[in-house]
Amino acid sequence: MKTAMPDAAFADRPTIDVPVGLGTRSYQVTIGAGVLAGAGARLAALTKKRRVAVVTDATVAELHLPRLVEALAAFEVTPIILPAGEATKSFAQLEALVNALLALEVTRSDVVIALGGGVIGDLTGFAAAIVKRGMGFVQVPTTLLAMVDSSVGGKTGINTPAGKNLVGAFHQPAAVWADLDLLQTLPMRARRAGYAEIVKYGLIADPAFYLWCEANAAALLAGDSAALAHAVAQSCRAKAAIVAADERETDDIRALLNLGHTFGHALEAETGFGGSLLHGEAVGIGMAQAFRFSAARGLCPADDARRLTAHLAGVGMMAWPRQAGIAAEAAPRLVAHMLQDKKMTADGLPFILARGIGDAFVAKGVPLAAVTAFLEADLDGTPEN
Ligand code: NAD
Ligand code: GLY
């Protein structure tokens, strides 16, 4: 693995390269400030074609499309600009995108570039998975959440009226180019949402990284470039290791990445999957709930749950459902939302719980009555208790 070395072939600024080892589907995550400057040479290494479609959303197009188009000067670039926001992960936008790619007469050896956050990455990856039964795609994540989570690992898909991410495919990108300079325009709220997925890696299996997060979260959120580079690289290394071990989430390994997600998805469903509660915000509250639930069941020291709750609060993040406007009587509805989770099997709903900070595990057979009782108490929780 190359760490903070000048990337002589493509740009003159240092990059951190994280390999994702998946046999013939292996690829590299290239992390650094200014990575996009080398996009032309990087793309030429992936395809012989001189035409490329770039899928992005209207917000990102205005902020960052010109620098990518400039870097791809040797290519004929066709931008496909979609509306910004979660609603874009829909059948309607998928159809429009697939038709746009087919109108460009793309072939399996073409590569489409996803320039955006998790919404654009998930949608474009899914379109790439099904057009001509699978064409190449490159992830160019522009949000912190996308850099540390959604752009790596090949989960792609859309939402349906029945729920989030219920239709999709595993389709690995050919490369991920994470240009830290793009984060300069990201609002603080979105930075905090991305930070939830960063601290998650420490909570799952890396207590030392959790300690680093506690010490460096404020600098990271303020945009400190060294802190961002370390956090993005460490997160991608952690995710790459998990994906390499359990690409299709069949061995109770990749499922650990869902820490906080079962509680969090229920909160998102309760608030209507809109802008009032971002995915990363829901994951932040959900992780605190997973630790409080683990403590309530005697699995995890109560101090660890308190410590996480305090850390999230200390960097301005929500840690309690009430802070997201969830009503005190919502417990049965939250459990009903959980039962729609795509992780649900004939054996029930697995929960990702913790024995402590850095020691998460998949818990099966958790009685739903215990979940309901916990939620009833937790919904009364406040930042002060
Ligand atoms: P997003 O893609 O909607 O981006 C959030 C907002 O930020 C958008 O309005 C976008 O236009 C704007 N934006 C993007 N980059 C910007 C920049 N550099 N400067 C200013 N504004 C910018 O949301 P997200 O948080 O990136 O991703 C959330 C999605 O990711 C959800 O749909 C979630 O399900 C999915 N997700 C997928 C995976 C996976 O493994 N595939 C993992 C986690 C989350
Ligand atoms: N974000 C969860 C996963 O990639 O598995």
Side-chain angles (χ1 to χ4, degrees):
M1 184 184 307
K2 193 163 63 161
T3 302
M5 295 288 287
D7 193 357
F10 299 115
D12 56 4
R13 287 202 267 175
T15 61
I16 303 173
D17 296 337
V18 177
V20 184
L22 288 166
T24 55
R25 285 167 290 102
S26 296
Y27 54 96
Q28 184 164 286
V29 185
T30 305
I31 301 157
V35 158
L36 274 199
R42 289 180 201 287
L43 185 60
L46 294 175
T47 177
K48 293 189 172 59
K49 297 295 181 67
R50 280 294 169 265
R51 287 189 326 175
V52 66
V54 175
V55 184
T56 190
D57 73 35
T59 305
V60 177
E62 195 163 316
L63 293 168
H64 300 301
L65 183 59
R67 87 164 81 183
L68 179 58
V69 171
E70 189 186 336
L72 296 175
F75 290 78
E76 183 190 328
V77 178
T78 305
I80 299 174
I81 301 175
L82 307 176
E86 188 69 33
T88 291
K89 269 175 61 172
S90 65
F91 272 119
Q93 293 295 343
L94 176 70
E95 182 180 7
L97 175 53
V98 164
N99 284 333
L101 291 171
L102 292 175
L104 292 170
E105 297 179 355
V106 293
T107 68
R108 283 182 181 174
S109 56
D110 282 326
V111 169
V112 55
I113 295 179
L115 172 72
V119 165
I120 289 298
D122 282 11
L123 176 73
T124 306
F126 189 32
I130 58 177
V131 165
K132 306 272 168 94
R133 295 205 177 95
M135 62 180 292
F137 80 114
V138 171
Q139 290 270 21
V140 183
T142 64
T143 63
L144 189 54
L145 182 141
M147 288 189 190
V148 301
D149 190 358
S150 63
S151 65
V152 179
K155 278 190 182 175
T156 73
I158 58 170
N159 307 323
T160 77
K164 238 174 93 81
N165 297 327
L166 291 185
V167 174
F170 286 97
H171 188 52
Q172 300 293 343
V176 182
W177 307 333
D179 187 335
L180 302 173
D181 281 347
L182 305 188
L183 298 176
Q184 286 167 9
T185 57
L186 196 66
M188 181 54 83
R189 190 177 170 203
R191 291 181 192 205
R192 289 193 176 111
Y195 177 69
E197 303 281 11
I198 292 174
V199 74
K200 181 182 80 176
Y201 296 108
L203 295 169
I204 290 173
D206 190 345
F209 185 55
Y210 177 79
L211 290 179
W212 183 92
C213 284
E214 279 191 337
N216 293 281
L220 184 162
L221 290 168
D224 179 88
S225 52
L228 276 171
H230 180 73
V232 173
Q234 197 58 25
S235 300
C236 289
R237 286 186 196 111
K239 181 147 187 186
I242 286 176
V243 169
D246 181 17
E247 183 185 8
R248 290 187 170 240
E249 208 167 306
T250 48
D251 291 332
D252 281 357
I253 300 171
R254 187 163 183 167
L256 295 173
L257 293 173
N258 292 320
L259 175 65
H261 285 58
T262 303
F263 288 104
H265 271 161
L267 301 176
E268 285 184 275
E270 182 68 8
T271 52
F273 293 108
S276 68
L277 184 65
L278 303 179
H279 174 73
E281 292 172 330
V283 168
I285 300 171
M287 291 190 301
Q289 288 187 291
F291 269 76
R292 291 194 294 266
F293 184 48
S294 301
R297 292 187 67 69
L299 299 166
C300 156
D303 268 355
D304 283 15
R306 274 194 289 271
R307 183 172 180 163
L308 171 60
T309 299
H311 171 54
L312 296 176
V315 292
M317 292 172 64
M318 294 181 280
W320 296 93
R322 270 176 68 166
Q323 294 171 299
I326 307 291
E329 66 278 5
R333 288 199 301 277
L334 293 178
V335 173
H337 295 312
M338 288 177 184
L339 296 179
Q340 298 301 315
D341 198 295
K342 60 185 176 309
K343 294 183 291 299
M344 185 79 178
T345 68
D347 300 329
L349 181 62
F351 281 81
I352 314 305
L353 301 181
R355 297 184 193 92
I357 285 170
D359 191 5
F361 67 100
V362 180
K364 293 179 180 157
V366 177
L368 285 183
V371 178
T372 308
F374 163 75
L375 287 172
E376 278 165 358
D378 202 62
L379 285 165
D380 271 337
T382 69
E384 289 76 41
N385 65 19

